[in-house]
Amino acid sequence: MEGPERTEEAEPPAAALGADTGKSDDEAADPGSAAGRRPRGRTTLMIAGAALLGIVAGVCTGYVIQAGRAPTALPSLSQPVVGQAQGEVEPLSAAQDRRVRTDGDLRKLLITRPAGATSSRIPRGRDGWADLPTYAGYYKDPAGTFNALVSDEFRRAVTTSWTVGETYDVRINLVQFRQESKRAALEWAENGRYWAGKEPDTRDWPIPGTGDENGVAYVHDTPAQKPGYLPMYTAEAYAWRGDVCMEIHVYDSKPIAKAKIMDLAERQVGKL
């Protein structure tokens, strides 16, 4: 866009160029004439200069007065000496520091099987412990899972399982990571949630006590079907706390109620 049209400057008056104005010498010397008037800007400059000198003088006077005063003493840099406490400091209890619990026997953090339950028909692990190859064997791709666990700083895992009646089966895993370079417990819990959420005909609910979507329970309403076998309904739950990932799997030949998976999940999260 073009700007406004620019106008040329007017030609300066002849008097400014020193040309003959046609006036006599008397008219030029007349104080009342235009040529004999003193420019009005000179008085303004004198007043401004005097004001500036006054400001400078005031500043200099302030510095002189300040220089003549005694220096103000600075506060002492030393502080009172705090006496060292005597005796040994007692370590935090498990109620105050959760690492006291998770660094101990991790099997003690598994919930106990209910009264009347029997050992699972397909037990996993040994004496409650699941080493790296055993835990990786739970997955469809054990070799790939093994490598992923090594990369994610797998530390240890514990497991428990039981059966109630003829078809109701429960399996719970607690997987602990070293977490020196990543939040692996969170990532593995989210991985389980991702695959659980992809199953069709699935309902899910947040697990109380796990914070903002840090724990979710799922019920799959469509069973797996195989000729010659009863239908298998499943439910699962995933959560994490600190360096521990929690996994719960429930199987039954009948639809699994929300209350069953939620009860297991809430009780297990409460132990972490």
Side-chain angles (χ1 to χ4, degrees):
M1 179 177 178
E2 295 182 352
E5 184 178 356
R6 188 171 66 91
T7 58
E8 298 293 332
E9 292 183 2
E11 183 180 354
L17 298 176
D20 185 11
T21 61
K23 294 184 179 180
S24 64
D25 293 341
D26 294 338
E27 289 175 336
D30 184 2
S33 65
R37 295 195 189 107
R38 186 177 60 183
R40 289 180 293 176
R42 184 177 301 174
T43 302
T44 304
L45 291 175
M46 293 178 63
I47 295 174
L52 178 61
L53 289 175
I55 294 174
V56 173
V59 172
C60 293
T61 302
Y63 276 113
V64 171
I65 295 174
Q66 184 67 26
R69 293 177 178 174
T72 303
L74 296 174
S76 175
L77 296 177
S78 62
Q79 299 295 326
V81 178
V82 179
Q84 184 175 358
Q86 301 296 322
E88 296 292 334
V89 178
E90 295 184 2
L92 295 175
S93 65
Q96 297 170 311
D97 184 1
R98 61 173 306 276
R99 289 296 297 269
V100 174
R101 293 176 293 173
T102 58
D103 282 346
D105 189 342
L106 202 60
R107 296 172 299 178
K108 294 181 179 180
L109 298 185
L110 289 165
I111 59 176
T112 58
R113 65 179 60 176
T118 60
S119 298
S120 176
R121 290 183 292 273
I122 308 177
R124 299 291 184 95
R126 178 177 297 180
D127 195 24
W129 294 99
D131 58 17
L132 181 52
T134 300
Y135 178 72
Y138 296 169
Y139 290 81
K140 293 181 178 179
D141 179 15
T145 303
F146 183 96
N147 293 332
L149 288 166
V150 171
S151 176
D152 287 342
E153 303 170 336
F154 173 89
R155 179 181 176 185
R156 55 183 180 168
V158 293
T159 183
T160 184
S161 57
W162 64 81
T163 298
V164 177
E166 294 295 326
T167 60
Y168 181 77
D169 194 75
V170 174
R171 182 177 298 118
I172 301 175
N173 302 319
L174 299 181
V175 188
Q176 190 172 35
F177 299 86
R178 299 188 185 280
Q179 298 205 145
E180 295 178 357
S181 62
K182 63 176 66 176
R183 301 173 68 184
L186 163 63
E187 293 180 5
W188 279 80
E190 289 186 339
N191 178 70
R193 289 172 47 191
Y194 171 79
W195 291 108
K198 287 180 69 68
E199 292 290 332
D201 201 15
T202 297
R203 295 174 292 150
D204 63 84
W205 306 269
I207 301 172
T210 59
D212 185 16
E213 296 187 353
N214 292 333
V216 182
Y218 302 84
V219 168
H220 307 297
D221 293 322
T222 299
Q225 301 276 8
K226 189 175 182 180
Y229 291 87
L230 293 172
M232 185 174 67
Y233 292 87
T234 58
E236 50 195 317
Y238 299 91
W240 69 278
R241 181 162 290 172
D243 56 359
V244 177
C245 170
M246 178 202 81
E247 306 170 344
I248 300 177
H249 301 271
V250 180
Y251 310 91
D252 201 350
S253 61
K254 301 182 293 294
I256 300 171
K258 169 189 173 182
K260 287 188 176 182
I261 186 64
M262 291 296 288
D263 174 66
L264 292 169
E266 289 185 54
R267 289 195 292 122
Q268 183 59 75
V269 165
K271 296 273 287 184
L272 298 178

